[in-house]
Amino acid sequence: MFGNLLIIGLVSSTSQLQSPMYIFLTHLSVCDILISTNVGPNTLRVIASRTCYISALSCDIQLYFFGASALVESALLSVMSYDRYLAICNPLHYAAIMNHTLPHSLAMTCWLAGFLLSMITEILIFQLDFCGPNIIDHFFCDLAPLLQLSCSDTKSVEIQVSITVMTIVFTQLLFVIGTYICIFSSILQLSSTSSRQKVFSSCSSHLMVVSTYYGTLIALYVAPSRGYSLNLNKMLSLLNTIVTPLCNPIIYSLRNKEIKIALSKIYFRKDPSRDQRQPGTGKRINHVPLPFLHS
């Protein structure tokens, strides 16, 4: 929560952070906050008291917002990959394509698509009958343990979710892979070894989180059948609901040089990019080490 709120505050209050990349990062932080506030409180109650009572309507609402935020985050990751592709592979046309309105339009489209697709799943779930036990073997109302409680045929929900994941999420994953293949090809053409290493390092961190996110999402929702291991479901859900919102601010923003400069200006009242001189010597210091903040 602190990391994502910090990003939103910095981007909103700093004029230098109004580029398309930081606009998408702000929306990603909002999405991570939605996931954390939706799942976190009940999870803490389950850990503290070993049980947690929740109404059927609250359970459906929790499932709806979790599914919507997962789809929104998947779409935002694809849009961010497209933004990086334009910046690295087509820099001369970047400003013309990523104008003032396009980033906001793309972000709003991600939110709209995520909530509409999640609504279809909710409509199908409302048509199911639940006449058996009412204990969900999970730390929140996820799809697979909820379908376990239904005494009616859940094939329609399973097919709809699998089609959504395969056509939407899997297509976005292929798009991300394609953009990064083009990015890596452009990076290999750079003459400077240090520049290649720096970009490769940032891309590897990004791809690691993207792979974890898409991998767990596909594993969770491609085959939510009755034979699905709920213990595996819990571990994969833990990555999506806790680990990913925690890692996103660190990997995408807090290690970013412009974010560090904006943070120093606001909280430390100085610009680390400015030239500094040693007191009494008049010699300029070209490098000022910043502990715990490595680019």
Side-chain angles (χ1 to χ4, degrees), residues 63-64 67-68 71 112-128 143-144 146-147 153-170 217-218 220-225:
L63 176 62
Y64 170 69
L71 292 172
L112 184 62
F115 278 88
L116 287 178
L117 290 173
S118 184
M119 179 62 70
I120 297 175
T121 304
E122 282 296 309
I123 293 174
L124 295 175
I125 290 177
F126 271 112
Q127 298 176 358
L128 299 178
L143 181 64
L146 190 62
L147 294 181
D153 190 8
T154 60
K155 289 297 182 182
S156 59
V157 181
E158 296 175 10
I159 292 174
Q160 185 270 330
V161 173
S162 297
I163 291 175
T164 300
V165 173
M166 293 299 295
T167 57
I168 304 298
V169 179
F170 189 67
L217 196 66
I218 292 174
L220 278 170
Y221 298 112
V222 166
S225 61

Side-chain angles (χ1 to χ4, degrees), residues 48-69:
S49 61
R50 313 292 295 181
T51 185
C52 175
Y53 295 96
I54 185 171
S55 66
L57 180 60
S58 298
C59 184
D60 289 329
I61 292 175
Q62 187 181 59
L63 176 62
Y64 170 69
F65 278 99
F66 173 71
S69 57

Side-chain angles (χ1 to χ4, degrees), residues 1-290:
M1 288 292 295
F2 174 78
N4 286 297
L5 289 174
L6 179 63
I7 292 170
I8 296 173
L10 286 176
V11 175
S12 302
S13 60
T14 307
S15 58
Q16 290 82 2
L17 301 180
Q18 298 302 316
S19 63
M21 181 182 68
Y22 294 108
I23 293 174
F24 296 137
L25 285 174
T26 302
H27 286 273
L28 187 66
S29 296
V30 174
C31 187
D32 286 336
I33 290 175
L34 179 61
I35 295 176
S36 300
T37 55
N38 181 39
V39 176
N42 279 342
T43 302
L44 294 176
R45 289 173 58 190
V46 171
I47 294 174
S49 61
R50 313 292 295 181
T51 185
C52 175
Y53 295 96
I54 185 171
S55 66
L57 180 60
S58 298
C59 184
D60 289 329
I61 292 175
Q62 187 181 59
L63 176 62
Y64 170 69
F65 278 99
F66 173 71
S69 57
L71 292 172
V72 170
E73 184 157 350
S74 173
L76 286 174
L77 291 175
S78 301
V79 172
M80 292 168 64
S81 298
Y82 176 65
D83 176 75
R84 292 299 86 202
Y85 163 77
L86 289 178
I88 296 175
C89 300
N90 200 4
L92 297 179
H93 296 89
Y94 178 80
I97 297 175
M98 280 290 174
N99 51 40
H100 179 70
T101 59
L102 183 60
H104 298 283
S105 300
L106 290 174
M108 290 299 105
T109 302
C110 294
W111 285 98
L112 184 62
F115 278 88
L116 287 178
L117 290 173
S118 184
M119 179 62 70
I120 297 175
T121 304
E122 282 296 309
I123 293 174
L124 295 175
I125 290 177
F126 271 112
Q127 298 176 358
L128 299 178
D129 296 323
F130 294 90
C131 51
N134 59 353
I135 299 176
I136 298 178
D137 186 14
H138 211 290
F139 58 87
F140 75 105
C141 290
D142 201 2
L143 181 64
L146 190 62
L147 294 181
Q148 289 266 342
L149 303 182
S150 176
C151 55
S152 58
D153 190 8
T154 60
K155 289 297 182 182
S156 59
V157 181
E158 296 175 10
I159 292 174
Q160 185 270 330
V161 173
S162 297
I163 291 175
T164 300
V165 173
M166 293 299 295
T167 57
I168 304 298
V169 179
F170 189 67
T171 301
Q172 292 173 349
L173 176 59
L174 291 179
F175 177 78
V176 171
I177 294 174
T179 55
Y180 270 94
I181 289 175
C182 298
I183 289 173
F184 288 157
S185 299
S186 299
I187 292 173
L188 291 175
Q189 297 176 8
L190 297 175
S191 58
S192 174
T193 304
S194 61
S195 299
R196 290 200 300 265
Q197 291 177 346
K198 182 179 294 186
V199 178
F200 268 124
S201 177
S202 61
C203 291
S204 63
S205 300
H206 177 267
L207 284 177
M208 179 181 67
V209 175
V210 169
S211 301
T212 302
Y213 179 81
Y214 279 109
T216 54
L217 196 66
I218 292 174
L220 278 170
Y221 298 112
V222 166
S225 61
R226 294 183 180 274
Y228 198 77
S229 172
L230 288 182
N231 288 330
L232 177 61
N233 182 280
K234 293 175 187 177
M235 289 187 291
L236 295 176
S237 297
L238 189 67
L239 291 176
N240 271 333
T241 58
I242 305 297
V243 178
T244 300
L246 174 65
C247 294
N248 281 346
I250 300 173
I251 293 179
Y252 293 126
S253 298
L254 297 183
R255 297 180 62 188
N256 184 281
K257 181 179 179 180
E258 293 179 341
I259 290 286
K260 291 189 293 185
I261 293 175
L263 186 64
S264 297
K265 285 182 178 179
I266 293 176
Y267 292 97
F268 302 105
R269 303 301 180 188
K270 65 179 180 179
D271 187 353
S273 65
R274 253 186 339 199
D275 290 336
Q276 301 184 21
R277 299 180 182 274
Q278 291 180 351
T281 63
K283 296 182 179 180
R284 185 169 60 187
I285 302 175
N286 294 322
H287 175 70
V288 179
L290 295 176

